[in-house]
Amino acid sequence: MDIAQNWSEYELIDMANGEKLEKWGNKILIRPDPQIIWKQKQNPKAWDKADAIYKRSKTGGGNWEYKKRLPESWQIKYKNLTFNIKPMGFKHTGLFPEQAVNWDWIINKIKTEKREIKVLNLFAYTGGATVAALSAGASVCHVDSSKGMTAWAKENVASSGLADKKVRYIVDDVIKFVNREIRRGNKYDAIIMDPPSYGRGTNGEIWQFEENICDLVTLCEQVLSEDPLFFLINSYTTGISAKVLENILNLNIEKKHKGSVTSGEIGLPMKNSKIVLPCGIYGKWEK
């Protein structure tokens, strides 16, 4: 498992009873997580210091309960990257801190190349990977079907001092966009994607991970350049093994572009503990 252990402004303080206690800068939040099925709290007193807790509803969804007044948003840094944090519906904050392991890998891969790398970031959300790639010197095409998330990504890019870098923001259905890029003959040296388990495009197009992921990777191979650098798939889809992503990359990318394919889990370490929270899976093809 690849563990995101280089944070200074984010901490996973404790986990128990289906909840995690996290420090985001100087704010402390409690959020639900289905992986946390154990009951033992390691730092019981720390839970009383939470500023807000996300309570799930038995009928679906949920809401934040505030113990202290929080700002609408605040910032945290990861190394030289800056992100804007905002408590949202369905427990999210706009950032997945475990993705720092992928950001580090993306930055390292791009910096080792002595050429400009064109990156296509699909299902790009609030732009964590976009910020990472731009900071390493790449140009990025950021694609997401949500106007709100794309606006948030622009905030993160600006907050990281990268607004003058080569970045294009596209609000569109990912599959429609890639098909247009194929027709235009546009090519990319690196592709990043973080597809949802289920979603809808800008015009109600339905996305289901199990049904659509293989076809999307096949499609994306057509926009890879003659000398591609990497292809990264991240997923939080329940029941899908990392080996599945590895298999898809072997069948679709490694067959035509010789390199190496790896896969695995990503996770977050708990403070002062050997306990690690598993958070998702990845599959990588690299030159």
Side-chain angles (χ1 to χ4, degrees):
M1 178 182 282
D2 293 347
I3 301 171
Q5 49 196 357
N6 295 320
W7 278 98
S8 61
E9 296 192 7
Y10 169 87
E11 281 182 0
L12 182 51
I13 302 168
D14 202 0
M15 303 181 277
N17 299 309
E19 293 181 319
K20 53 190 175 185
L21 180 68
E22 306 166 290
K23 188 175 182 182
W24 297 83
N26 60 357
K27 311 293 186 291
I28 298 177
L29 307 179
I30 297 173
R31 298 191 295 156
D33 193 296
Q35 295 278 1
I36 305 168
I37 61 173
W38 54 92
K39 298 177 181 178
Q40 301 93 330
K41 290 182 178 178
Q42 304 297 302
N43 302 289
K45 292 180 180 178
W47 293 78
D48 297 330
K49 298 177 182 178
D51 297 305
I53 178 169
Y54 186 87
K55 290 283 191 180
R56 275 217 168 111
S57 167
K58 291 179 181 177
T59 56
N63 62 279
W64 288 95
E65 293 182 4
Y66 295 95
K67 298 183 178 181
K68 298 176 186 175
R69 186 166 184 171
L70 293 180
E72 208 171 280
S73 69
W74 65 93
Q75 293 182 337
I76 67 169
K77 284 184 174 291
Y78 179 74
K79 298 181 178 178
N80 64 326
L81 313 180
T82 301
F83 300 102
N84 296 278
I85 303 303
K86 307 173 190 178
M88 301 160 58
F90 197 63
K91 78 178 182 178
H92 294 306
T93 62
L95 193 70
F96 292 85
E98 65 273 10
Q99 287 297 321
V101 294
N102 284 331
W103 304 335
D104 286 342
W105 182 81
I106 289 165
I107 290 167
N108 182 60
K109 292 297 293 182
I110 292 169
K111 281 189 171 180
T112 57
E113 291 291 299
K114 291 181 168 46
R115 56 180 172 133
E116 183 183 296
I117 299 298
K118 288 180 64 181
V119 175
L120 177 60
N121 187 12
L122 302 174
F123 307 99
Y125 194 52
T126 60
T130 294
V131 172
L134 288 172
S135 76
S139 62
V140 181
C141 181
H142 174 110
V143 186
D144 197 278
S145 64
S146 167
K147 287 183 182 178
M149 294 302 107
T150 304
W152 197 334
K154 290 180 182 179
E155 289 177 26
N156 287 333
V157 168
S159 295
S160 295
L162 301 167
D164 61 335
K165 303 300 180 183
K166 293 182 182 178
V167 56
R168 188 162 59 121
Y169 301 99
I170 306 292
V171 178
D172 201 357
D173 174 75
V174 159
I175 294 171
K176 285 185 175 179
F177 175 76
V178 174
N179 273 309
R180 285 206 309 277
E181 292 294 86
I182 291 169
R183 291 195 296 271
R184 292 166 177 155
N186 289 338
K187 301 288 184 179
Y188 297 89
D189 305 301
I191 295 177
I192 302 163
M193 62 172 68
D194 193 349
S197 301
Y198 177 87
R200 288 186 179 272
T202 50
N203 294 312
E205 302 90 349
I206 294 175
W207 164 274
Q208 286 184 299
F209 188 92
E210 295 89 341
E211 293 291 324
N212 300 115
I213 185 62
C214 197
D215 289 342
L216 178 59
V217 175
T218 302
L219 199 66
C220 285
E221 192 281 326
Q222 297 178 63
V223 295
L224 278 177
S225 67
E226 292 298 315
D227 185 22
L229 181 60
F230 66 80
F231 197 120
L232 169 63
I233 309 171
N234 190 80
S235 177
Y236 293 95
T237 301
T238 305
I240 297 294
S241 164
K243 196 69 178 177
V244 169
L245 303 183
E246 186 176 329
N247 291 342
I248 289 170
L249 289 169
N250 270 314
L251 288 166
N252 291 281
I253 308 301
E254 173 64 13
K255 225 173 183 180
K256 299 180 182 178
H257 306 275
K258 297 304 176 186
S260 62
V261 178
T262 54
S263 65
E265 289 184 272
I266 56 176
L268 286 168
M270 195 171 93
K271 184 183 177 184
N272 300 324
S273 171
K274 294 180 180 178
I275 306 297
V276 175
L277 177 65
C279 297
I281 58 172
Y282 68 84
K284 298 171 181 170
W285 173 90
E286 56 189 300
K287 186 173 78 167

